[in-house]
């Protein structure tokens, strides 16, 4: 046990949390607009392969991340067309999107197995990185980590203080009333879905380009589902999504370290622990009175 | 102030299969309260949606103060000075009052400034409101204040009100009218839609009457009787329900100390409710919507079960019985919500007739459905209650509100209930159909059925009930003989004006 360095552990925690944090933030915005997109896993893995392939071919991880966001958004656009224009059932469309994304990504990824992507540099924060402990934990990451953290603050502020956020919440709360007041319900939702897709794509690419970094089929391994659960148990609040993601990342890293340290617990129990503990803690946290957006998952049709 | 504000000429709007507005023309002058009358489906809502920019007319034109007026969306209408209070509140439960107001404005100030302005305006017009509260926690009257204040903050020149008083107590209605009269005296034109003809006679200067999408006439409400206006709306004369005197029999339904926790977050708890209904008697229960009506109906129908002795049918405890067993014992119910509660929207009338009539009408044989008998029963309901439908195989959803209401009431009436509980029997039903339904209830009582009628239409309750009680925040007032009750007394039984006060002028 003494082999585990807390600074390293915390630094690894932040990295492990980033993919689900990104995906969950996107889904948070989608659900606050009243849409339930169960295709997060599919959009993540599509983003993972799009980002990976483009980064390998261009040699630039930055362009790779842009491509990942675009890939996730394109898949999300499919979902938006189905649910917002063709008025298809959101649950069924979301599940189909996940299956489609998994299949599409293995097809796209056929030529990329076993290749190493170009490395993503750590952000150079100069002397800040040299601070003992803190420098290691906080100031020695790549740009995406800081971007994800900035996104938490931005989404929180957007929902709480801006008119755009107010309209988004209004659409998710009561789409008929929002329509009666003249807001474009479908447009708001399509934009939210695209944003959610782009975020999921970034989250996926973070796995394939930085966290692992290589391409294997089905490499997101349920991270999209954890992101979905995170949004619900975080009571649709950005700050709690961050806590949940850190918790999940923390337990993941810890159990990996424990496995490496050869603890006398079967590996299967350790592997399932992040999922169990995260859900348990979030269930307890979500026991307050906050509730889902009232129009969540309901189909909107502007009649008359 | 006799200048024309809004002029509508030859406006036509058609939907697939129905012409909602057919060359409608009329003028609204500044500072007048103009009533728009018509049955359900006469085209009132479509017309105001066009004025508010939610719907575009197929042909025809409108002009506002002489300039052409064709709002592309509600923002354009609001910018031109048109504001609207919706029939079904356009409010967001999970947002605060100030946020709700901000959503209805074009360029809302920062929330803190807005909160101050909400306080100012609510003070001026005597509509107290706390901008920080969550809208879902407000009473129906308070929710309406949010809508009205949202409109007033935009200093409108034309205020459209779609059925604003259906959720208010008589005292609250009087205060609303004071506010509207004050606005009219400031030069604001008000377009007022309501089914309540006596209110229109008290408030409005002019009335335009729509029937099947056409403007069929105008009148001055103060000089026209409510009955004459109703006949203009329907286009024919109809009989007023007549009651025959008869002595009530034994106690059929007895409720004692009925208390229930609120079934949902925005529901109402019932607090030690007690009453009796005798055979042949109609007990009317009034009260503003959301004061426990739905919960009371659920407790009586058996959808929510309670301790056995709290509900007694013919003296036998029945509080623990489910709906099917209560039906078997003669207690039938007709809930308020037609689509989804009283009837399954996508099932045919035959199937819907079967759903509640299976036992009492013997429509089942050893677990198999006797379709022929079920169809015959549905046809009997259709014939007896003059339900306008192509036939018993039509889906319930395809019927107009009034026709479906006649069907769901008729379905229960034909099962010869011993106790009949009905919630809002004529809600959203035109005058002629409403008269027919009320007559059916009176006839049923004359044959010895004990009837409990829950309604928000006080005129209706006064017309048919023998005794009257009011629900207020889950409590039931003691029942009093309906004959001779004044509107003020009824209003006080319903909880008065809550904390509203008349506008400080």
């Amino acid at each position: 046990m003494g082999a585990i360095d807390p600074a390293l552990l915390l630094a690894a925690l932040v990295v492990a949390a980033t993919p689900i944090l990104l995906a969950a933030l996107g889904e948070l915005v989608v659900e606050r607009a009243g849409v339930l997109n169960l295709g997060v896993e599919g959009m993540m893995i599509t983003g993972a392969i799009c980002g990976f392939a483009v980064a390998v071919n261009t040699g630039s991880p930055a362009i790779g991340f842009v491509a990942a966001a675009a890939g996730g958004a394109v898949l999300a656009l499919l979902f938006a067309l189905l649910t917002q224009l063709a008025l298809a059932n959101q649950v069924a469309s979301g599940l189909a999107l996940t299956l489609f994304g998994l299949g599409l990504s293995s097809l796209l990824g056929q030529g990329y197995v076993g290749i190493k992507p170009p490395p993503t540099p750590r952000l150079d924060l100069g002397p800040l990185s040299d601070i003992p402990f803190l420098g290691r934990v906080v100031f020695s990451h790549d740009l995406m980590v800081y971007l994800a953290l900035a996104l938490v603050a931005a989404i929180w502020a957007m929902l709480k203080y801006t008119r755009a956020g107010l309209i988004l919440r209004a659409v998710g709360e009561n789409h008929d009333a929002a329509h009666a007041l003249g807001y474009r319900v479908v447009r708001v939702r399509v934009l939210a879905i695209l944003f959610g897709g782009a975020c999921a794509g970034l989250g996926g690419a973070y796995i394939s380009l930085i966290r692992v970094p290589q391409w294997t089929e089905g490499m997101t391994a349920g991270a999209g589902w954890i992101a979905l659960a995170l949004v619900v148990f975080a009571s649709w609040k950005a700050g709690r999504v961050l806590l949940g993601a850190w918790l999940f990342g923390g337990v993941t890293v810890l159990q990996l370290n424990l496995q490496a340290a050869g603890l006398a617990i079967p590996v299967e129990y350790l592997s399932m622990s992040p999922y169990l503990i995260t859900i348990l803690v979030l269930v307890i946290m979500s026991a307050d009175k906050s509730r889902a957006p009232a129009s969540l998952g309901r189909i909107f049709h502007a009649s008359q | 102030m006799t200048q024309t504000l809004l002029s509508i000429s030859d406006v036509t709007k058609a939907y697939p299969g129905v012409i909602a507005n057919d060359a409608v023309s009329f003028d609204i002058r500044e500072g007048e309260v103009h009533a728009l009358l018509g049955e359900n489906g006469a085209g009132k809502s479509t017309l105001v949606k066009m004025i508010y920019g939610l719907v575009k007319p197929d042909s025809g034109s409108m002009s506002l103060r002489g300039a052409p007026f064709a709002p592309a969306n509600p923002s354009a209408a609001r910018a031109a000075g048109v504001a609207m209070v919706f029939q079904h509140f356009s409010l967001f439960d999970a947002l605060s009052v100030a946020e709700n107001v901000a959503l209805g404005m074009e360029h809302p100030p920062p929330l803190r400034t807005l909160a101050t302005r909400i306080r100012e305006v609510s003070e001026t017009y005597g509509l107290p409101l706390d901008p920080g509260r969550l809208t879902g926690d407000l009473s129906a009257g308070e929710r309406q204040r949010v809508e009205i204040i949202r409109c007033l903050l935009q200093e409108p020149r034309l205020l459209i009100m779609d059925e604003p008083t259906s959720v208010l107590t008589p005292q609250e209605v009087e205060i609303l009218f004071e506010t509207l009269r004050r606005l009219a005296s400031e030069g604001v034109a008000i377009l007022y839609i309501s089914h309540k003809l006596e209110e229109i006679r008290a408030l409005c200067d002019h009335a335009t009457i729509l029937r099947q999408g056409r403007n069929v006439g105008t009148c001055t409400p103060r000089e026209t009787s409510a009955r004459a206006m109703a006949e203009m709306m329907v286009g024919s004369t109809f009989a007023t329900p007549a009651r025959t005197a008869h002595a009530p029999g034994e106690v059929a339904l007895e409720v004692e100390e009925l208390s229930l926790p609120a079934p949902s977050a925005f529901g109402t708890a019932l607090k030690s409710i007690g009453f009796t209904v005798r055979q042949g008697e109609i007990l009317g229960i009034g009260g503003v919507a959301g004061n426990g009506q739905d919960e009371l109906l659920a407790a009586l129908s058996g959808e929510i079960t309670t301790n056995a002795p709290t509900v007694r049918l013919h003296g036998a405890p029945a509080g623990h019985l489910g709906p099917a067993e209560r039906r078997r014992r003669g207690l039938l119910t007709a809930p308020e919500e037609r689509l989804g509660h009283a009837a399954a929207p996508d099932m045919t009338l035959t199937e819907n007739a079967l759903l509640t009539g299976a036992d009492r009408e013997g429509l089942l044989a050893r677990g198999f459905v006797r379709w022929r008998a079920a169809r015959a029963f549905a046809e009997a309901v259709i014939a007896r209650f003059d339900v306008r439908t192509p036939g018993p195989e039509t889906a319930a959803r395809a019927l107009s509100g009034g026709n479906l209401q006649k069907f769901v009431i008729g379905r229960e009436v034909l099962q010869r209930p011993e106790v009949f509980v009905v919630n809002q029997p004529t809600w959203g039903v035109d005058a002629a159909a409403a008269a027919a339904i009320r007559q059916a209830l009176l006839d049923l009582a004359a044959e010895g059925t004990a009837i409990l009628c829950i309604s928000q239409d006080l005129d209706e309750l006064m017309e048919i009930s023998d005794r009257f009680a009011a629900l207020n925040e889950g409590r039931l007032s003691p029942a009093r003989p309906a004959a001779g009750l004044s509107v003020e007394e009824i209003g006080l039984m319903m909880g008065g004006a809550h904390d509203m006060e008349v506008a400080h002028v």
Side-chain angles (χ1 to χ4, degrees), chain B residues 405-450:
Chain B
Q405 187 68 23
K406 284 196 274 188
F407 183 82
V408 297
I409 299 272
R411 176 180 68 179
E412 309 303 329
V413 168
L414 284 197
Q415 293 177 47
R416 302 166 310 279
E418 289 165 40
V419 178
F420 187 34
V421 180
V422 56
N423 189 5
Q424 294 271 65
T426 61
W427 175 65
V429 169
D430 67 59
I437 289 172
R438 286 172 199 157
Q439 186 63 56
L441 293 178
L442 287 170
D443 291 347
L444 197 61
E447 288 161 19
T449 301

Side-chain angles (χ1 to χ4, degrees), chain B residues 38-121:
Chain B
E39 300 180 49
N40 283 72
K44 298 170 306 213
S45 294
T46 308
L47 190 65
V48 296
K49 280 179 181 168
M50 285 193 277
I51 301 174
Y52 195 59
L54 278 167
V55 171
K56 283 193 193 63
D58 295 337
S59 67
S61 63
M62 298 185 280
S63 64
L64 193 71
R65 283 190 168 164
F69 176 61
N73 54 45
S75 315
R78 286 197 289 262
V82 178
M84 180 158 166
V85 172
F86 292 86
Q87 177 182 9
H88 304 291
F89 296 129
S90 60
L91 296 181
F92 307 91
D93 283 350
L95 306 185
S96 74
V97 169
E99 286 175 326
N100 266 289
V101 171
L103 278 166
M105 296 177 74
E106 274 329 293
H107 302 288
L111 278 186
R112 206 166 299 163
T113 324
L114 186 62
T116 324
R117 285 192 56 201
I118 291 173
R119 281 219 176 77
E120 283 167 16
V121 172

Side-chain angles (χ1 to χ4, degrees), chain B residues 41-308:
Chain B
K44 298 170 306 213
S45 294
T46 308
L47 190 65
V48 296
K49 280 179 181 168
M50 285 193 277
I51 301 174
Y52 195 59
L54 278 167
V55 171
K56 283 193 193 63
D58 295 337
S59 67
S61 63
M62 298 185 280
S63 64
L64 193 71
R65 283 190 168 164
F69 176 61
N73 54 45
S75 315
R78 286 197 289 262
V82 178
M84 180 158 166
V85 172
F86 292 86
Q87 177 182 9
H88 304 291
F89 296 129
S90 60
L91 296 181
F92 307 91
D93 283 350
L95 306 185
S96 74
V97 169
E99 286 175 326
N100 266 289
V101 171
L103 278 166
M105 296 177 74
E106 274 329 293
H107 302 288
L111 278 186
R112 206 166 299 163
T113 324
L114 186 62
T116 324
R117 285 192 56 201
I118 291 173
R119 281 219 176 77
E120 283 167 16
V121 172
S122 66
E123 283 290 306
T124 327
Y125 287 93
L127 307 164
L129 205 54
D130 176 0
R133 281 182 68 189
L134 213 57
T135 314
D137 297 335
L138 301 181
S139 74
E142 290 172 312
R143 290 165 69 85
Q144 190 182 44
R145 285 178 226 168
V146 180
E147 292 245 17
I148 293 174
I149 284 171
R150 176 154 77 186
C151 292
L152 293 183
L153 278 173
Q154 302 176 67
E155 289 159 11
R157 284 185 280 165
L158 173 65
L159 180 60
I160 304 170
M161 304 204 82
D162 196 353
E163 304 240 11
T165 60
S166 54
V167 294
L168 304 182
T169 66
Q171 276 82 357
E172 287 173 328
V173 169
E174 201 37 59
I175 289 160
L176 172 68
F177 283 8
E178 282 303 315
T179 307
L180 294 182
R181 286 191 191 108
R182 177 164 170 200
L183 281 171
S185 73
E186 289 167 2
V188 177
I190 295 164
L191 184 61
Y192 190 88
I193 299 178
S194 177
H195 277 113
K196 297 187 178 174
L197 300 172
E198 289 301 338
E199 287 181 359
I200 284 173
R201 295 193 62 220
L203 179 73
C204 302
D205 307 311
H206 289 276
T208 296
I209 294 154
L210 294 183
R211 190 196 316 145
Q212 290 169 357
R214 287 202 191 89
N215 181 346
V216 292
T218 55
C219 66
T220 309
R222 291 187 222 288
E223 296 158 9
T224 315
S225 74
R227 184 176 181 84
M229 286 195 279
E231 287 178 355
M232 281 173 91
M233 282 158 58
V234 180
S236 62
T237 57
F238 54 86
T240 315
R243 58 203 296 179
T244 48
H246 55 271
E250 289 172 15
V251 171
L253 174 68
E254 195 176 356
V255 171
E256 214 178 349
E257 285 293 311
L258 170 64
S259 297
L260 273 183
S264 67
F266 294 123
T268 311
L270 297 182
K271 294 160 195 136
S272 52
I273 283 180
F275 60 85
T276 57
V277 195
R278 291 172 175 278
Q279 290 175 341
E281 182 188 47
I282 301 184
L283 172 63
I285 293 191
V288 173
N291 272 299
Q293 284 90 340
D294 295 343
E295 291 79 3
L296 178 60
L297 181 109
L300 292 177
S301 71
E303 287 165 67
I304 301 176
T305 51
T306 55
N307 292 335

Side-chain angles (χ1 to χ4, degrees), chain B residues 451-468:
Chain B
I451 297 179
L452 181 80
C453 178
I454 305 172
S455 177
Q456 282 146 49
D457 185 341
L458 292 176
D459 297 335
E460 166 173 284
L461 290 177
M462 289 303 108
E463 192 174 313
I464 64 171
S465 5
D466 300 304
R467 288 187 301 140
F468 175 86

Side-chain angles (χ1 to χ4, degrees), chain A residues 46-82:
Chain A
T46 305
I49 185 58
C50 287
F52 190 86
V54 171
V56 166
N57 287 325
T58 59
S60 157
I63 299 178
F65 275 109
V66 172
V74 167
L75 208 62
L77 183 65
L78 184 68
F79 178 81
L81 290 177
L82 283 174

